[in-house]
């Protein structure tokens, strides 16, 4: 009787979690477990992709302005300061609300980088998706756009790449000419995209006397949209106190009409008469900021009238994200 041949199994190479690549959900997991990826390490990756980060810009300099540029402002740019400085061959990194052809990022011919903010993202963490796009843009060949992709679940976030002590000073533009240094020599696709974007842009001005407040002009009336950093419940209480006291407006003909929710912050919105410009609203906005600070410091329970005012404000909230 022949001897049974001894069966030996070669040891599978050990792969740490951080080294496991992303593969198709039905493919074998690269860790060597023998299970499909979706039933093994793909579970954690899927959870990281779908889990929503409530305040993706928290901890960044100018969080309120990040929210405004993401949701409210058509055309704006802001220089970004990176931790450790700029890589060799990259003279500047600039955040832009929108880029031509809806590119997530662009490495210009001179090596500078433009990072688009108002793009669809593949996961529930906008900060991680943008950080992945930024890292790839820094390494891209000059003169090429960067396409979107699903960011690694364990990849860095913007908070890991951007200097928290750096300035964040948005510059609002009347159009999108900042896309190309020389619009006359732009490609036909870029020129067409530029024309469409300029036609759709709503005139917008950033106020100088208060933080993250943006005046905009529409055919029917003007508006002030003001992104505020205060906790939502406390802010709504303060706005209700002012509203019940008849002190929530920004002057004659203006009216606090409600608010947006966006990326974990609250954005009160005022209707303004068409004749009121951004310059006209600077002083009333600064005076309102003082009234709001006093209302935020108030600890007494809301009165019946203030509770009714709060209910009205809550009913007129719209969630943008």
């Amino acid at each position: 009787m022949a001897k049974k041949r001894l069966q030996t199994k070669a040891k599978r190479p050990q792969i740490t979690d951080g080294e496991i690549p992303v593969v198709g959900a039905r493919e074998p997991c690269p860790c060597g477990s023998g299970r499909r990826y979706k039933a093994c390490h793909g579970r954690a990756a899927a959870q990281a992709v779908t889990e929503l980060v409530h305040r993706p810009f928290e901890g960044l300099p100018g969080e309120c302005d990040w929210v405004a540029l993401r949701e409210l402002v058509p055309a704006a740019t802001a220089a970004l300061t990176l931790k450790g400085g700029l890589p060799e061959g990259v003279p500047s990194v600039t955040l832009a609300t929108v880029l031509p052809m809806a590119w997530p990022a662009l490495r210009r011919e001179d090596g500078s980088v433009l990072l688009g903010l108002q793009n669809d993202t593949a996961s529930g963490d906008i900060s991680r998706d943008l950080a992945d796009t930024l890292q790839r843009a820094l390494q891209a060949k000059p003169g090429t756009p960067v396409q979107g992709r699903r960011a690694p679940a364990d990849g860095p976030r913007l908070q890991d790449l951007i200097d928290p002590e750096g300035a964040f000073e948005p510059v609002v533009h009347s159009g999108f000419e900042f896309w190309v240094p020389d619009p006359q020599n732009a490609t036909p696709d870029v020129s067409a995209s530029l024309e469409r974007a300029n036609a759709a842009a709503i005139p917008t001005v950033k106020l100088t006397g208060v933080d993250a407040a943006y005046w905009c002009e529409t055919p029917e009336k003007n508006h002030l949209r003001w992104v505020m950093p205060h906790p939502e419940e406390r802010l709504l209480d303060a706005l209700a106190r002012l509203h019940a006291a008849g002190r929530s407006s920004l002057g004659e003909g203006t009216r606090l009409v409600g608010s947006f929710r966006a990326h974990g912050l609250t954005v009160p919105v005022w209707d303004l008469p068409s004749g009121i410009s951004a310059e006209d609203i600077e002083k009333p906005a600064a005076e309102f900021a003082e009234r709001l600070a006093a209302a935020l410091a108030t600890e007494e329970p809301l009165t019946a009238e203030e509770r009714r005012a709060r209910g009205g404000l809550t009913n007129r909230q719209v969630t943008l994200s």
Side-chain angles (χ1 to χ4, degrees), residues 97-108:
T97 48
V98 181
L99 293 180
M101 316 298 292
W103 289 327
L106 171 66
R107 182 87 184 271
R108 283 176 161 167

Side-chain angles (χ1 to χ4, degrees), residues 44-110:
Q47 181 178 359
V49 166
T50 58
E51 186 175 359
L52 179 65
V53 175
H54 187 55
R55 286 179 63 178
F57 306 118
E58 185 176 16
L60 292 173
E63 178 190 7
C64 294
D65 284 310
W66 278 86
V67 172
L69 268 57
R70 167 76 184 186
E71 299 294 341
L72 306 173
V73 181
T77 56
L80 297 180
T81 304
L82 304 186
K83 290 181 178 178
L86 294 168
E88 184 177 356
V90 180
S92 64
V93 175
T94 302
L95 182 74
T97 48
V98 181
L99 293 180
M101 316 298 292
W103 289 327
L106 171 66
R107 182 87 184 271
R108 283 176 161 167
E109 292 287 355
D110 65 355

Side-chain angles (χ1 to χ4, degrees), residues 15 45 58 110 140 193 263 274 279 314:
I15 304 177
E58 185 176 16
D110 65 355
S193 184
H263 307 292
S274 297
E279 185 178 358
T314 302

Side-chain angles (χ1 to χ4, degrees), residues 104-165:
L106 171 66
R107 182 87 184 271
R108 283 176 161 167
E109 292 287 355
D110 65 355
S112 60
V113 167
L114 288 176
L115 177 65
L117 182 57
Q118 294 180 13
N119 288 307
D120 293 335
T121 55
S123 81
D125 187 354
I126 297 172
S127 177
R128 195 179 308 281
D129 291 333
L130 288 171
D132 177 70
T133 301
L134 174 56
Q135 284 191 313
R136 291 186 291 123
L138 292 171
Q139 300 170 359
K141 180 181 177 181
T144 59
V146 175
Q147 302 301 329
R149 73 170 189 181
R150 186 175 71 180
D154 59 350
R157 307 180 72 238
L158 286 174
Q159 289 81 349
D160 301 315
L161 304 181
I162 294 177
D163 187 349
E165 302 301 323

Side-chain angles (χ1 to χ4, degrees), residues 128-281:
R128 195 179 308 281
D129 291 333
L130 288 171
D132 177 70
T133 301
L134 174 56
Q135 284 191 313
R136 291 186 291 123
L138 292 171
Q139 300 170 359
K141 180 181 177 181
T144 59
V146 175
Q147 302 301 329
R149 73 170 189 181
R150 186 175 71 180
D154 59 350
R157 307 180 72 238
L158 286 174
Q159 289 81 349
D160 301 315
L161 304 181
I162 294 177
D163 187 349
E165 302 301 323
F168 187 77
E169 299 174 352
V171 177
V172 178
H173 304 275
S174 59
F176 295 87
E177 282 72 20
F178 63 85
W179 280 354
V180 285
D182 184 6
Q184 300 300 323
N185 294 323
T187 65
D189 285 345
V190 171
S191 295
S193 184
L194 177 62
E195 184 177 351
R196 289 193 300 270
N198 281 343
I202 296 173
T204 302
V205 177
K206 186 179 189 299
L207 299 194
T208 60
V210 294
D211 293 333
Y214 291 81
W215 170 95
C216 66
E217 180 182 14
T218 63
E220 296 80 19
K221 62 187 69 175
N222 298 342
H223 305 278
L224 184 71
R225 301 163 176 173
W226 192 341
V227 187
M228 296 187 174
H230 318 292
E232 180 180 356
E233 296 302 314
R234 192 169 186 85
L235 176 58
L236 288 175
D237 282 353
L239 292 173
R241 295 181 196 279
L242 295 175
H243 202 61
R247 306 182 70 206
S248 64
S249 76
L250 299 175
E252 184 177 355
T254 70
R255 185 167 66 99
L256 175 64
V257 292
S259 63
F260 296 129
R261 282 196 191 101
H263 307 292
L265 298 182
T266 303
V267 188
V269 178
W270 285 262
D271 279 353
L272 313 173
S274 297
I276 292 185
S277 67
E279 185 178 358
D280 294 333
I281 212 68

